[in-house]
Amino acid sequence: MTTPPLSSRLVNVAEDAELRLVSLLGEHSPSLNVPQCEACINSGNATQLLQLILADKGSVASLVTHVPDVEEAIGSFALLVALIAGANDDQDTAATRSAVTGLGNAVVQAGDNAEATCGRKLRLLAILYNLRAPVLDKVEVLRQMMIVAGNFPSSFLRAQDPLGNLLLAEDEADDSGEKTGAAASRLSLTPSAPRIVQLMHSWQIDTEQRFALYQTIVQAFQANPLSGVRKQRFLLLSVECASSNKTAVAAAAKEAAIGAVRDPISLFAHQRNILNIPSISALAQSEPILFGLLKIFQEGKLSDYEAFLQSKGGEGAVLGKWNLDAEGCRRNMRILSLCSLASEHEEIPYQSIAETLQIDVADNKQVEAQVIAAVSSGLLEAKMDQLSKKVLVERCVVRQFDVPQWKTLQQRLQSWKDNVGSILSALEQAETSAATAAAT
């Protein structure tokens, strides 16, 4: 069987479907030129019909704001989406992408942003997403859906919602605070990416479009203080994109740096290499104090933090500029300092912890409280020997891994190698002695 050639002429999916669509749109949008639309239908000119409908702002908007029957609105919108394929011979061209963007924008801009209205907008955009196969169209519609969902993220971007689930990674907690899938701790070196990022990679979407999508997701979480971690996750993804929009990238880098200082714990594994991102490194010139503060939160200890604040005019001058909480910063800095200490020693006396964290050496309860806080953060696994007043480190994150850390690792491996060699030599000697004794 031969495949018939594609055509830009109208093909009714139901009798008089286009005529009824035009009649419905004209009923709710008087500015639509109904006779001209009917002439296009009679001549089979799908391209001009689509242009007339999209040019009339009230037509598409009426499906959001005026058509009372939701199912009728959805069916009519599906027919509009089908017109895009018909008008462009079902080809993925610049014209089809422009039409998809125009149709989606008309939905986004229609009416108000009340929750019920946004709900209908998302249902219409879902039709556009599902009926368009080209991945570039899908990315644009996803971006438009995020704009709408951002008005009510607590309603449309929850883990159980389709859009919210796309933004979730396997190692991130859902809205109930529980881990999903094969959850990984913050000790993991390779945290999994959000599902939407995996989609972008599988679709081979370029950095410009990924940057635009991730920035839209950041904006969707902007007004929701409970979504700070998810917002920061997509800020990091944004600055990792090599977008040509230098101004937007610089602004995102600054915001990501502030977020990494505000909460260096929740996304520790994701932010481990933040200083190596070019747009973040550029802050050393444009925002030297912010970059210096970020560097301390990535690599320094509490003593470095205190000295930095003092050299730059104090807490108010440094932290106030970016609305950072002094108590929260100090609390996080103590956790990170303890992790640095734990990565250097397998056994840590209480006194060393007290001195590093600048607390009373005689106050064992406060030392133990700091250890518990570090363990609770997920960055440290350790046990406390209260009799000998030592902390026994089992596992710990490594905050930086440069040449000195490689040398330390080399020394440890050499020590283990020597120890294993000594054990093997002792075993050989024991076997030889046993064989000699048996022979005699």
Side-chain angles (χ1 to χ4, degrees), residues 323-336:
N323 196 29
L324 295 167
D325 177 57
E327 184 179 346
C329 285
R330 188 176 177 83
R331 180 174 59 251
N332 288 330
M333 208 55 239
R334 278 180 164 163
I335 291 175
L336 295 171

Side-chain angles (χ1 to χ4, degrees), residues 16-36:
D16 297 331
E18 290 85 6
L19 288 173
R20 287 188 282 111
L21 169 65
V22 168
S23 175
L24 176 68
L25 297 179
E27 178 184 347
H28 297 289
S29 178
S31 58
L32 179 66
N33 191 330
V34 174
Q36 194 171 356

Side-chain angles (χ1 to χ4, degrees), residues 24 62-64 67-78 120 124:
L24 176 68
S62 68
L63 297 178
V64 177
V67 177
D69 188 334
V70 175
E71 297 306 320
E72 184 179 20
I74 290 174
S76 300
F77 189 77
R120 179 180 284 207
L124 296 182

Side-chain angles (χ1 to χ4, degrees), residues 282-304:
L283 293 174
Q285 301 298 323
S286 60
E287 295 284 351
I289 295 179
L290 176 60
F291 183 80
L293 188 62
L294 175 63
K295 188 175 178 65
I296 288 173
F297 271 83
Q298 289 296 303
E299 302 174 351
K301 292 183 180 179
L302 183 60
S303 57
D304 303 312

Side-chain angles (χ1 to χ4, degrees), residues 305 309-310 312-324 326:
Y305 172 71
L309 291 183
Q310 186 175 1
K312 300 302 180 182
E315 288 181 348
V318 177
L319 305 181
K321 183 178 180 181
W322 298 293
N323 196 29
L324 295 167

Side-chain angles (χ1 to χ4, degrees), residues 153-429:
S154 58
S155 297
F156 302 124
L157 294 178
R158 298 168 299 177
Q160 63 266 36
D161 299 316
L163 281 179
N165 188 263
L166 272 180
L167 306 183
L168 205 64
E170 295 297 333
D171 63 344
E172 290 179 319
D174 62 21
D175 297 318
S176 67
E178 296 180 354
K179 297 285 186 175
T180 57
S185 74
R186 294 189 182 112
L187 290 165
S188 171
L189 293 174
T190 54
S192 58
R195 294 176 179 91
I196 196 168
V197 175
Q198 298 174 29
L199 265 183
M200 296 303 104
H201 285 303
S202 66
W203 289 346
Q204 298 181 330
I205 302 302
D206 64 38
T207 56
E208 297 294 340
Q209 288 185 302
R210 277 188 282 142
F211 179 78
L213 176 60
Y214 297 157
Q215 280 287 283
T216 302
I217 296 171
V218 168
Q219 291 301 315
F221 289 125
Q222 196 76 37
N224 189 348
L226 299 178
S227 300
V229 172
R230 298 172 82 183
K231 172 189 169 185
Q232 179 69 6
R233 182 72 181 95
F234 283 94
L235 268 173
L236 292 170
L237 290 166
S238 295
V239 299
E240 289 170 2
C241 294
S243 172
S244 60
N245 190 341
K246 302 302 181 185
T247 302
V249 170
K254 180 179 177 180
E255 193 173 359
I258 295 170
V261 172
R262 179 175 288 115
D263 183 1
I265 307 297
S266 299
L267 292 174
F268 179 89
H270 304 80
Q271 296 172 163
R272 186 191 301 271
N273 297 313
I274 191 172
L275 295 175
N276 296 327
I277 300 174
S279 56
I280 296 291
S281 300
L283 293 174
Q285 301 298 323
S286 60
E287 295 284 351
I289 295 179
L290 176 60
F291 183 80
L293 188 62
L294 175 63
K295 188 175 178 65
I296 288 173
F297 271 83
Q298 289 296 303
E299 302 174 351
K301 292 183 180 179
L302 183 60
S303 57
D304 303 312
Y305 172 71
E306 297 290 354
F308 182 83
L309 291 183
Q310 186 175 1
S311 68
K312 300 302 180 182
E315 288 181 348
V318 177
L319 305 181
K321 183 178 180 181
W322 298 293
N323 196 29
L324 295 167
D325 177 57
E327 184 179 346
C329 285
R330 188 176 177 83
R331 180 174 59 251
N332 288 330
M333 208 55 239
R334 278 180 164 163
I335 291 175
L336 295 171
S337 299
L338 181 52
C339 288
S340 291
L341 197 61
S343 66
E344 298 165 359
H345 308 282
E346 294 181 0
E347 293 185 2
I348 316 172
Y350 278 21
Q351 182 176 351
S352 296
I353 295 175
E355 291 171 353
T356 300
L357 304 189
Q358 300 179 13
I359 55 182
D360 186 357
V361 175
D363 192 346
N364 293 335
K365 288 187 177 180
Q366 192 172 0
V367 170
E368 291 169 355
Q370 295 298 326
V371 174
I372 292 171
V375 171
S376 298
S377 74
L379 302 183
L380 172 68
E381 290 181 6
K383 294 178 180 178
M384 290 181 285
D385 185 341
Q386 294 175 313
L387 292 177
S388 60
K389 294 185 169 123
K390 289 182 179 180
V391 172
L392 309 177
V393 179
E394 296 179 351
R395 291 181 67 198
C396 182
V397 296
V398 177
R399 296 180 62 207
Q400 61 179 129
F401 207 89
D402 296 321
V403 174
Q405 287 72 36
W406 277 113
K407 289 182 178 179
T408 300
L409 179 60
Q410 181 185 35
Q411 292 170 359
R412 288 184 179 179
L413 290 174
Q414 186 61 49
S415 176
W416 292 340
K417 180 180 177 182
D418 293 341
N419 289 338
V420 171
S422 298
I423 293 172
L424 291 175
S425 178
L427 287 173
E428 289 177 359
Q429 291 177 8

